[in-house]
């Protein structure tokens, strides 16, 4: 059942239409950011303008991710 607020009937329920949303001025805390989904979310959110606070157990991987985000023009900090 689709709600009346569904603007795109061709997109399955449960799929968020947020890929184009800019996040400038927002700060996002990503846990588990050193690999997998957390790393992917951190890169995507930083690409869309969010400042990302990175958290995980692997400090070396976090430092590398922070450097990657900053090299691409994003803002990141290890929390």
């Amino acid at each position: 059942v689709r709600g009346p607020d569904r603007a795109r009937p061709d997109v399955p329920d449960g799929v968020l239409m947020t890929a184009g949303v800019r996040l400038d001025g927002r700060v996002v805390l990503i846990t588990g950011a050193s690999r997998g989904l957390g790393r992917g979310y951190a890169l995507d959110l930083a690409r869309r303008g969010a400042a990302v606070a990175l958290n995980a157990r692997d400090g070396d991987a976090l430092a590398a991710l922070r450097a990657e985000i900053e090299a691409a023009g994003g803002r990141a900090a290890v929390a």
Side-chain angles (χ1 to χ4, degrees):
V1 175
R2 294 190 182 281
D5 59 329
R6 293 292 298 194
R8 300 266 319 263
D10 58 317
V11 176
D13 284 332
V15 175
L16 299 177
M17 300 282 298
T18 59
V21 174
R22 293 293 306 167
L23 297 170
D24 301 293
R26 303 289 181 133
V27 177
V28 181
L29 172 64
I30 307 289
T31 60
S34 62
R35 62 183 50 93
L37 288 173
R39 184 177 192 282
Y41 286 131
L43 290 168
D44 178 59
L45 295 170
R47 204 174 2 253
R48 293 195 279 139
V52 292
L54 309 170
N55 183 271
R57 292 180 288 182
D58 187 343
D60 293 336
L62 288 179
L65 178 58
R66 178 182 179 185
E68 182 178 347
I69 289 170
E70 290 176 344
R75 296 182 304 146
V78 174

